[in-house]
Amino acid sequence: MGLGGLLVPALGLAAAWLLGPGFEPSSWLLPFFSGRGRLLSPAQLARYTGAQGSPGLYLAVLGQVFDVRRGHKHYGPGAAYGVFAGKDASRAFATGDFTNTGLVDDVSGLSPSEMLTLQNWLSFYSENYIFVGKLVGRFYDENGAPTKALEQANAVIEEVLKFKGQNDEKKQFPPCNSEWSSTSGSRFWCSKQSGGVNRNWIGVPRKLYTPGSSDSHCVCVRTTGPPSGQLDSTEHSDRGDLDNPNLQEYKGCHPLADWCVLKD
């Protein structure tokens, strides 16, 4: 055996001596992907339970593996969430079913709201713990590429987030009431229930444009208080959302009137 053949085993033994009991030399031989961590098999992940002699404390969500050692009091053996350690139990994050039936990675059949809950957990771990890599199996193949199951899960989550965004926008900018007649033209007006959104303000009509599009629709806009997204701010112009760059006044209408008539 040449020098090159001796070097790798020597480095592994040296690392084992430096890092102490529980170090897994074979983990150095796992595939690494720049910026994306390494690939683990379910059997390898199962060793990371935080128990005596285990190499660490990992869990996975939708196939993404995180090092949760600094949360040992939550995820270690006997802890409240210790059942998540060493596995991908994505379904249980959404359902709260901590039985063997629920502690699995199969998320098929979950409701849109449950998928959104799962996405929120994934965001939580991404923001608060160290990303290690990917779990080969349901969500990633042996090359680390997303599987059809992950694509389907992401598609559901994307639709839910889109719907949520539309609802949030509707609450910020409720649609105007409107009517049209051949004699008087188009009339838009705002009330505390216009657009089917109950609120404690009336607002004024404005055109709301979608960024990058020339299409617009009539919405009711708050005229006082801080802008949306800054409701806790004590320093603001007291103009509500009137200065939002995606809004435009109706020509010929008073800028602070709660109704507007446009002749065709």
Side-chain angles (χ1 to χ4, degrees), residues 236-260:
H236 54 81
S237 59
D238 195 32
R239 284 174 50 82
D241 288 318
L242 288 176
D243 298 320
N244 187 293
N246 298 320
L247 297 173
Q248 185 178 42
E249 295 180 10
Y250 283 98
K251 291 182 179 179
C253 296
H254 191 285
L256 294 180
D258 60 15
W259 58 275
C260 176

Side-chain angles (χ1 to χ4, degrees), residues 21-71:
F23 174 70
E24 184 182 8
S26 63
S27 67
W28 278 31
L29 305 180
L30 292 170
F32 272 78
F33 296 84
S34 177
R36 292 185 293 167
R38 75 177 195 246
L39 298 179
L40 290 89
S41 69
Q44 289 165 334
L45 178 60
R47 297 190 59 204
Y48 288 80
T49 62
Q52 183 73 27
S54 74
L57 182 55
Y58 293 174
L59 60 74
V61 182
L62 287 179
Q64 295 190 37
V65 182
F66 299 92
D67 184 335
V68 294
R69 280 178 296 180
R70 69 183 187 84

